[in-house]
Amino acid sequence: MKRILDTKVKKQGSEHSTLISLNDILIGEGYFTVIAGPCALESEELAVETAKAVEHAGAKVFRCSLFKPRTSPYSYQGFGLDGVKLLKLLHAESNLLLETEILSTDHLEVLAGEADILRVGSRNMDNYELLKAVGRTNKPIILKRNMSATLEEFLLAAEYILSVGNEKVILCERGIRTFENYTRNTLDILAVPALKELSHLPVIVDPSHSTGKSSLVPAASKAALAAGADGLIIEVHPNPRDSYSDGEQSLDIPTFEKLMKELSDIATLLGKKSFQQVLH
Ligand code: PEP
Ligand code: MN
């Protein structure tokens, strides 16, 4: 880890941790923040229905992907910029903060204008021009680990954002590629405590893309909380079977509600200061 010695991402002492404050939400050490929503927004009605359900269950941030990086160009690509009006509607209809994936610097102005948090996905972890561009905004940025990145490479990608002035970076472990193919990726659970001992930045986990199976999402979520994660980003859909993308890893509403209760109990045991962020 020689290359992170003189970086801004590096932890300077055991008490050094960055807490990101957004409205009344705190993201970072001691808190647990759940981001939930569909893989991609599909329709106005479904977006509002899902937002209300996840808010009721205790999520504080809504996952609102408008741009989808799909393996096949013929798979559903998302609303694109046409969906920005949906972000306005969701702001009007709920108290949730909104987070969305950014794929290109071309969309930065519009997305940063409407979303509260921007997400740089796994495939763009190494897109250094995009990292610098989001680094010039004052928005919190969720940076997902590339599926083949070492922790050092991940932290140096985060450094691109900090290096140009934006210190509000949330690291997201989303599973790595290994020989195992029962799960979509392999959740590198020890990345959570390892990143937290190397860096002061908040760390969250994506139990959906790391497992690829809704049956494994609750276990991955609880493991993440127990391993010290500061939050989760979970795919939730009212009818996962009808989802345009990633239905097999999306939780339905009752399963999400049950999981939130369990997370709340574990957060209490762990002495998290704001487990009410999990269950209101
Ligand atoms: C996503 O969160 O929508 C996504 C595409 O995940 P990842 O970038 O981790 O593959
Ligand atoms: Mn997805």
Side-chain angles (χ1 to χ4, degrees):
M1 291 280 175
K2 265 193 267 148
R3 283 181 298 184
I4 70 155
L5 281 180
D6 289 320
T7 57
K8 295 184 187 334
V9 293
K10 189 177 181 302
K11 196 178 187 97
Q12 311 285 348
S14 59
E15 298 302 306
H16 183 201
S17 61
T18 288
L19 208 48
I20 296 173
S21 159
L22 254 178
N23 299 353
D24 58 342
I25 308 298
L26 291 168
I27 303 175
E29 184 63 34
Y31 295 83
F32 197 71
T33 307
V34 175
I35 302 166
C39 178
L41 293 191
E42 297 171 11
S43 73
E44 194 176 301
E45 299 69 34
L46 212 58
V48 172
E49 178 190 345
T50 317
K52 292 196 166 160
V54 301
E55 184 175 23
H56 181 72
K60 293 294 173 190
V61 185
F62 192 50
R63 210 194 118 91
C64 318
S65 297
L66 301 178
F67 288 94
K68 289 308 303 166
R70 304 304 299 283
T71 303
S72 164
Y74 306 115
S75 301
Y76 179 58
Q77 303 283 309
F79 268 104
L81 289 182
D82 282 349
V84 170
K85 57 181 183 298
L86 273 180
L87 302 189
K88 288 189 205 293
L89 176 74
L90 287 160
H91 268 311
E93 294 278 332
S94 79
N95 291 317
L96 292 162
L97 295 172
L98 305 180
E99 73 86 53
T100 198
E101 176 161 2
I102 176 155
L103 293 183
S104 163
T105 52
D106 293 351
H107 309 143
L108 182 58
E109 205 178 313
V110 183
L111 294 181
E114 215 45 58
D116 301 294
I117 301 175
L118 297 174
R119 170 171 21 103
V120 175
S122 186
R123 287 154 194 82
N124 274 314
M125 189 206 87
D126 311 294
N127 183 340
Y128 302 123
E129 289 308 313
L130 181 62
L131 297 179
K132 284 187 278 184
V134 296
R136 287 185 215 105
T137 72
N138 62 1
K139 294 280 166 182
I141 309 296
I142 295 174
L143 177 64
K144 297 185 91 173
R145 180 183 185 181
N146 181 292
M147 56 203 85
S148 62
T150 63
L151 294 183
E152 186 181 43
E153 288 162 345
F154 186 21
L155 288 169
L156 288 168
E159 184 73 10
Y160 268 91
I161 304 175
L162 276 79
S163 70
V164 290
N166 187 348
E167 308 230 327
K168 291 183 263 180
V169 176
I170 301 159
L171 302 169
C172 179
E173 160 60 31
R174 49 78 71 207
I176 51 175
R177 280 261 168 112
T178 68
F179 58 84
E180 181 54 69
N181 61 8
Y182 181 67
T183 49
R184 182 175 181 176
N185 291 281
T186 296
L187 174 59
D188 182 7
I189 194 70
L190 289 182
V192 175
L195 287 168
K196 292 197 69 110
E197 70 188 18
L198 291 165
S199 175
H200 54 91
L201 296 172
V203 178
I204 65 169
V205 165
D206 175 343
S208 308
H209 294 89
S210 55
T211 62
K213 287 185 161 67
S214 56
S215 62
L216 300 179
V217 167
S221 303
K222 290 180 268 185
L225 171 55
D230 304 309
L232 298 167
I233 176 165
I234 310 184
E235 288 183 342
V236 177
H237 193 287
N239 310 300
R241 277 193 205 157
D242 299 333
S243 177
Y244 292 176
S245 55
D246 287 350
E248 61 290 347
Q249 67 191 32
S250 301
L251 297 187
D252 60 21
I253 306 294
T255 310
F256 179 65
E257 286 174 344
K258 179 170 179 281
L259 173 61
M260 290 296 272
K261 291 201 175 74
E262 291 172 354
L263 290 169
S264 176
D265 290 345
I266 300 170
T268 308
L269 278 175
L270 293 173
K272 292 273 180 191
K273 278 175 267 176
S274 68
F275 57 85
Q276 68 271 20
Q277 285 197 17
V278 173
L279 197 68
H280 55 163

